[in-house]
Amino acid sequence: MIEIPTDLPADLVPLSWLLGVWEGTGVIDYEADGRSFSGEFAHRVSFSHDGGDFLNYSADAWLLDGEERRPLVSEIGYWRIARPSTDADAGPALLPPTDAAVVRSADDVESLRNADGGFDLEVSLVHSDGVLELYVGQVKGPRIDLATDAVVRTAGAKPYTAATRLYGLVDNHLLWAWDIAALGRELGSHASARLARAE
């Protein structure tokens, strides 16, 4: 059963099943540039909110090698239901809103439902290895499908050009799969995990 916090902004209700800290393990299986990358990893993912119309996201992963845990890439970012910005929204940058704040209702959010019956999403992520991703996609019930709309890399980052991600709530576990196009390879399967709610 999904419990929706009473202080949750209406914009976040379609994403409420993600809230909390999730932990578990997954597998990496990717071949590129004449090399094979495989193994088991531990993963910790956190979705939280601070009263805004977005979820805060952070994720850390460690490659499991016997008793040893080697850090992998960490991520931070923001998830939100796509909607046009108004004069009641802050930004860009530190610019304050020019209209009074608007408390959005469930009906306001319902009006954002797309033709497929879900809600369009915008997800921005920054990786600790110098990759920045902008994903677009949708949440439809307890399933999220995302694909990169843009990928930006620092000069020192390894080649990485596109990705898709799938998240789902199955038997009270967060399951996800991440396909990537990296190191000269076309988009292909990369990693997946099964996480249980830890907090």
Side-chain angles (χ1 to χ4, degrees), residues 47-167:
F47 290 94
S48 63
H49 78 96
D50 56 13
D53 62 354
F54 56 88
L55 289 183
N56 300 302
Y57 168 85
S58 66
D60 295 293
W62 301 267
L63 188 63
L64 300 175
D65 186 6
E67 296 296 315
E68 185 180 349
R69 288 168 52 120
R70 294 187 346 230
L72 295 171
V73 172
S74 296
E75 303 174 309
I76 59 170
Y78 303 96
W79 296 51
R80 69 182 208 142
I81 300 295
R83 67 169 177 81
S85 293
T86 70
D87 289 339
D89 295 308
L94 295 178
L95 298 179
T98 55
D99 279 353
V102 174
V103 177
R104 296 172 52 73
S105 70
D107 288 338
D108 294 330
V109 174
E110 189 60 31
S111 72
L112 299 173
R113 198 175 286 276
N114 61 31
D116 197 30
F119 296 91
D120 294 332
L121 287 181
E122 299 169 345
V123 176
S124 54
L125 301 179
V126 177
H127 301 216
S128 60
D129 64 351
V131 172
L132 296 83
E133 299 171 293
L134 173 62
Y135 283 93
V136 294
Q138 79 165 349
V139 56
K140 187 175 181 182
R143 178 185 169 125
I144 295 172
D145 293 277
L146 299 170
T148 49
D149 187 49
V151 174
V152 178
R153 296 181 292 119
T154 61
K158 295 178 182 177
Y160 181 97
T161 58
T164 62
R165 298 190 190 207
L166 168 68
Y167 295 81

Side-chain angles (χ1 to χ4, degrees), residues 14-35:
L15 297 169
S16 62
W17 56 274
L18 289 169
L19 284 169
V21 175
W22 302 84
E23 294 180 340
T25 58
V27 293
I28 301 165
D29 187 12
Y30 194 70
E31 291 188 23
D33 201 22
R35 297 169 51 194

